[in-house]
Amino acid sequence: MRKENIHCDLSALAFDFFYWFSRFEFALKENQYLKSHKPGSNADPGWSEYVLKWQPIYNPSAEACELLQLLPQRQIVLEGDALDWKPLNLSRCKSSLDAVVLCLKTIRNNLFHGGKHSCEGWDDPMRNHALLTSGKAVLSQLAKLGDFEADYLRLY
């Protein structure tokens, strides 16, 4: 999709998703959900720690179920270094929260790094709208579940 062909609403939704995804990762770190607690290691957000703590009580919302139904695609490498897309594989996810987090991270990665052409559905504004809207709603719900809404919303 060419930048000049992106509808203003979709651009705003993409920005909102990036913004709230970044706020969520900040809140994870601020609340000691870290990839590594070893002194000197990079301060990377600990999505896995978050999932382990909250998966026993997590109940997917309507928006989370929509993400799982839409199932973001992941870009893969084929023979001869050709690129293609395939639906996200959730079979290794240990819980519904794990699957929802994988969907959120894939949406973020696709927006930032993913192919911008030759993908069935990539230029589908309605699908992208649904993914971004549901994704943002789920991030807010996960901040509430993790009891760090103040950090997420920047309410100090």
Side-chain angles (χ1 to χ4, degrees):
M1 177 179 293
R2 295 173 56 113
K3 184 181 184 301
E4 57 270 13
N5 294 341
I6 299 173
H7 193 275
C8 289
D9 290 345
L10 197 55
S11 286
L13 283 173
F15 176 82
D16 279 351
F17 181 84
F18 274 132
Y19 178 82
W20 293 110
F21 189 94
S22 297
R23 288 300 308 172
F24 191 87
E25 286 198 326
F26 161 79
L28 283 172
K29 294 189 303 181
E30 192 70 7
N31 289 273
Q32 289 75 49
Y33 292 98
L34 302 168
K35 193 172 190 178
S36 173
H37 293 270
K38 181 181 175 186
S41 63
N42 292 337
D44 294 327
W47 286 92
S48 296
E49 275 192 340
Y50 176 89
V51 168
L52 283 173
K53 180 171 183 176
W54 297 106
Q55 67 187 359
I57 64 166
Y58 179 69
N59 290 314
S61 64
E63 294 87 357
C65 290
E66 183 174 26
L67 283 182
L68 294 170
Q69 180 186 3
L70 288 168
L71 200 56
Q73 295 191 19
R74 177 170 277 165
Q75 199 168 30
I76 61 167
V77 178
L78 300 175
E79 291 293 325
D81 294 334
L83 302 177
D84 199 5
W85 293 87
K86 71 174 187 174
L88 197 55
N89 180 357
L90 302 178
S91 66
R92 292 190 293 175
C93 294
K94 294 176 175 49
S95 66
S96 58
L97 181 55
D98 196 17
V100 167
V101 164
L102 182 58
C103 287
L104 289 170
K105 291 167 79 175
T106 301
I107 292 167
R108 182 259 180 216
N109 290 346
N110 286 347
L111 283 171
F112 200 74
H113 302 292
K116 309 297 188 254
H117 62 86
S118 301
C119 172
E120 183 179 321
W122 178 258
D123 288 343
D124 181 350
M126 291 180 67
R127 176 177 166 77
N128 289 332
H129 185 279
L131 285 165
L132 293 168
T133 303
S134 294
K136 185 203 171 289
V138 170
L139 286 166
S140 296
Q141 295 160 5
L142 296 183
K144 184 175 183 175
L145 177 67
D147 196 28
F148 50 72
E149 282 180 295
D151 290 320
Y152 176 71
L153 297 172
R154 204 170 179 193
L155 299 174
Y156 304 114

